[in-house]
Short mmCIF file of all heavy atoms in Angstrom, two decimals:
data_model
loop_
_atom_site.label_atom_id
_atom_site.label_comp_id
_atom_site.label_asym_id
_atom_site.label_seq_id
_atom_site.Cartn_x
_atom_site.Cartn_y
_atom_site.Cartn_z
N ILE A 12 33.50 145.32 61.27
CA ILE A 12 33.36 145.89 59.93
C ILE A 12 34.43 145.29 59.04
O ILE A 12 35.62 145.62 59.16
CB ILE A 12 33.50 147.42 59.97
CG1 ILE A 12 32.47 148.02 60.95
CG2 ILE A 12 33.34 148.00 58.59
CD1 ILE A 12 32.62 149.49 61.16
N PRO A 13 34.07 144.37 58.21
CA PRO A 13 35.05 143.79 57.27
C PRO A 13 35.26 144.71 56.09
O PRO A 13 34.97 145.90 56.16
CB PRO A 13 34.38 142.48 56.87
CG PRO A 13 32.90 142.77 56.96
CD PRO A 13 32.72 143.80 58.08
N LYS A 30 32.80 141.59 81.31
CA LYS A 30 33.74 141.65 82.43
C LYS A 30 34.24 140.25 82.78
O LYS A 30 35.43 140.06 83.09
CB LYS A 30 33.07 142.28 83.64
CG LYS A 30 32.78 143.77 83.46
CD LYS A 30 32.05 144.32 84.68
CE LYS A 30 31.74 145.82 84.48
NZ LYS A 30 31.02 146.35 85.67
N ASP A 49 57.92 129.14 84.21
CA ASP A 49 58.31 127.88 84.85
C ASP A 49 59.03 126.98 83.85
O ASP A 49 60.02 126.32 84.18
CB ASP A 49 57.06 127.20 85.40
CG ASP A 49 57.42 125.99 86.26
OD1 ASP A 49 58.26 126.15 87.18
OD2 ASP A 49 56.89 124.90 86.01
N SER A 55 66.33 125.88 81.91
CA SER A 55 67.62 126.36 82.41
C SER A 55 68.22 125.37 83.42
O SER A 55 69.42 125.09 83.41
CB SER A 55 67.44 127.73 83.04
OG SER A 55 68.65 128.19 83.62
N SER A 57 67.60 122.17 83.56
CA SER A 57 68.03 120.97 82.84
C SER A 57 69.41 121.16 82.22
O SER A 57 70.27 120.28 82.28
CB SER A 57 67.00 120.64 81.75
OG SER A 57 67.43 119.55 80.97
N LYS A 61 72.80 119.12 83.21
CA LYS A 61 73.66 118.44 82.23
C LYS A 61 75.11 118.90 82.40
O LYS A 61 76.05 118.11 82.32
CB LYS A 61 73.18 118.73 80.82
CG LYS A 61 71.87 118.02 80.47
CD LYS A 61 71.46 118.32 79.04
CE LYS A 61 70.16 117.59 78.69
NZ LYS A 61 69.72 117.88 77.30
N LEU A 63 76.46 120.06 85.16
CA LEU A 63 76.97 119.50 86.41
C LEU A 63 77.31 118.02 86.26
O LEU A 63 78.31 117.54 86.80
CB LEU A 63 75.95 119.70 87.53
CG LEU A 63 75.74 121.14 88.00
CD1 LEU A 63 74.64 121.21 89.03
CD2 LEU A 63 77.04 121.71 88.58
N HIS A 64 76.45 117.29 85.51
CA HIS A 64 76.74 115.88 85.27
C HIS A 64 78.04 115.72 84.51
O HIS A 64 78.85 114.83 84.81
CB HIS A 64 75.59 115.23 84.48
CG HIS A 64 74.41 114.86 85.33
ND1 HIS A 64 74.49 114.01 86.41
CD2 HIS A 64 73.10 115.23 85.25
CE1 HIS A 64 73.30 113.86 86.97
NE2 HIS A 64 72.43 114.60 86.29
N VAL A 76 92.13 108.87 88.23
CA VAL A 76 93.54 109.03 87.83
C VAL A 76 94.41 109.29 89.06
O VAL A 76 95.47 108.68 89.24
CB VAL A 76 93.69 110.18 86.82
CG1 VAL A 76 95.16 110.49 86.56
CG2 VAL A 76 93.00 109.82 85.51
N ILE A 84 102.11 105.05 93.94
CA ILE A 84 103.08 105.60 94.90
C ILE A 84 103.15 104.73 96.14
O ILE A 84 104.23 104.46 96.68
CB ILE A 84 102.71 107.05 95.27
CG1 ILE A 84 102.88 107.97 94.04
CG2 ILE A 84 103.59 107.56 96.42
CD1 ILE A 84 102.38 109.38 94.27
N THR A 96 114.56 97.68 104.58
CA THR A 96 114.66 96.61 105.56
C THR A 96 115.79 95.66 105.22
O THR A 96 116.58 95.26 106.08
CB THR A 96 113.33 95.83 105.62
OG1 THR A 96 112.28 96.73 105.97
CG2 THR A 96 113.39 94.73 106.66
N ILE A 101 121.50 93.71 105.85
CA ILE A 101 122.83 93.50 105.28
C ILE A 101 123.89 94.30 106.02
O ILE A 101 125.01 93.85 106.25
CB ILE A 101 122.82 93.88 103.78
CG1 ILE A 101 121.93 92.91 103.01
CG2 ILE A 101 124.23 93.87 103.20
CD1 ILE A 101 121.75 93.29 101.55
N ALA A 103 123.83 95.40 109.14
CA ALA A 103 123.93 95.21 110.60
C ALA A 103 125.05 94.22 110.92
O ALA A 103 124.82 93.13 111.43
CB ALA A 103 122.60 94.72 111.16
N VAL A 104 126.28 94.62 110.63
CA VAL A 104 127.42 93.71 110.76
C VAL A 104 127.69 93.32 112.21
O VAL A 104 128.03 92.19 112.52
CB VAL A 104 128.68 94.37 110.15
CG1 VAL A 104 129.88 93.46 110.29
CG2 VAL A 104 128.43 94.68 108.69
N ASP A 122 106.35 91.81 110.29
CA ASP A 122 107.70 91.96 110.83
C ASP A 122 108.50 92.98 110.03
O ASP A 122 109.25 93.79 110.57
CB ASP A 122 108.43 90.62 110.81
CG ASP A 122 107.82 89.62 111.77
OD1 ASP A 122 107.28 90.08 112.79
OD2 ASP A 122 107.86 88.43 111.50
N GLU A 128 109.60 100.62 110.28
CA GLU A 128 109.11 101.76 111.03
C GLU A 128 109.99 102.06 112.25
O GLU A 128 109.72 102.97 113.02
CB GLU A 128 107.67 101.49 111.51
CG GLU A 128 106.68 101.28 110.37
CD GLU A 128 106.55 102.50 109.51
OE1 GLU A 128 106.86 103.60 110.01
OE2 GLU A 128 106.13 102.38 108.35
N ILE A 156 87.84 93.83 101.90
CA ILE A 156 87.11 94.04 100.66
C ILE A 156 86.12 95.18 100.81
O ILE A 156 86.01 96.05 99.95
CB ILE A 156 86.38 92.74 100.25
CG1 ILE A 156 87.40 91.66 99.89
CG2 ILE A 156 85.45 93.00 99.06
CD1 ILE A 156 86.79 90.32 99.62
N MET A 186 116.33 106.05 104.42
CA MET A 186 117.32 105.88 103.37
C MET A 186 118.54 106.76 103.62
O MET A 186 119.68 106.35 103.36
CB MET A 186 116.71 106.21 102.01
CG MET A 186 115.67 105.22 101.52
SD MET A 186 116.31 103.54 101.38
CE MET A 186 117.50 103.73 100.06
N PHE A 217 116.73 78.89 97.95
CA PHE A 217 117.39 78.41 99.17
C PHE A 217 116.37 77.67 100.03
O PHE A 217 115.26 78.14 100.23
CB PHE A 217 117.97 79.61 99.92
CG PHE A 217 118.64 79.28 101.21
CD1 PHE A 217 119.98 78.95 101.26
CD2 PHE A 217 117.93 79.32 102.41
CE1 PHE A 217 120.61 78.67 102.46
CE2 PHE A 217 118.54 79.04 103.61
CZ PHE A 217 119.89 78.71 103.63
N GLY A 241 128.38 80.14 79.04
CA GLY A 241 129.28 81.24 78.71
C GLY A 241 128.86 82.57 79.29
O GLY A 241 129.61 83.55 79.19
N PRO A 243 128.64 85.59 81.60
CA PRO A 243 129.63 86.04 82.58
C PRO A 243 129.13 85.88 84.03
O PRO A 243 127.95 86.11 84.32
CB PRO A 243 129.83 87.52 82.23
CG PRO A 243 129.38 87.64 80.82
CD PRO A 243 128.26 86.66 80.66
N THR A 247 130.39 89.29 93.73
CA THR A 247 129.34 90.14 94.32
C THR A 247 129.87 91.01 95.45
O THR A 247 129.11 91.80 96.02
CB THR A 247 128.20 89.25 94.86
OG1 THR A 247 128.75 88.26 95.74
CG2 THR A 247 127.46 88.57 93.72
N ALA A 248 131.16 90.89 95.75
CA ALA A 248 131.75 91.74 96.78
C ALA A 248 133.27 91.65 96.68
O ALA A 248 133.83 90.78 96.02
CB ALA A 248 131.29 91.32 98.18
N GLY A 260 131.12 67.58 92.81
CA GLY A 260 129.77 68.10 92.94
C GLY A 260 129.55 69.40 92.19
O GLY A 260 128.65 69.50 91.35
N LYS A 286 142.47 83.03 90.11
CA LYS A 286 143.29 81.99 90.75
C LYS A 286 143.38 82.25 92.24
O LYS A 286 143.07 83.35 92.72
CB LYS A 286 144.69 81.97 90.13
CG LYS A 286 145.43 83.29 90.24
CD LYS A 286 146.76 83.23 89.51
CE LYS A 286 147.50 84.58 89.60
NZ LYS A 286 148.79 84.52 88.89
N LEU A 296 134.93 90.05 86.64
CA LEU A 296 134.63 88.79 85.99
C LEU A 296 135.46 87.68 86.64
O LEU A 296 136.68 87.78 86.71
CB LEU A 296 134.94 88.87 84.49
CG LEU A 296 134.73 87.59 83.68
CD1 LEU A 296 133.26 87.23 83.63
CD2 LEU A 296 135.29 87.77 82.26
N ALA A 298 134.23 84.06 86.26
CA ALA A 298 133.97 82.77 85.60
C ALA A 298 132.90 82.95 84.54
O ALA A 298 132.41 84.06 84.30
CB ALA A 298 133.53 81.72 86.63
#
Side-chain angles (χ1 to χ4, degrees):
I12 304 174
K30 292 177 181 179
D49 189 51
S55 176
S57 175
K61 289 181 179 179
L63 290 176
H64 280 303
V76 172
I84 293 173
T96 301
I101 294 174
V104 179
D122 292 330
E128 299 297 337
I156 294 174
M186 291 301 294
F217 178 88
T247 53
K286 58 184 179 180
L296 177 67

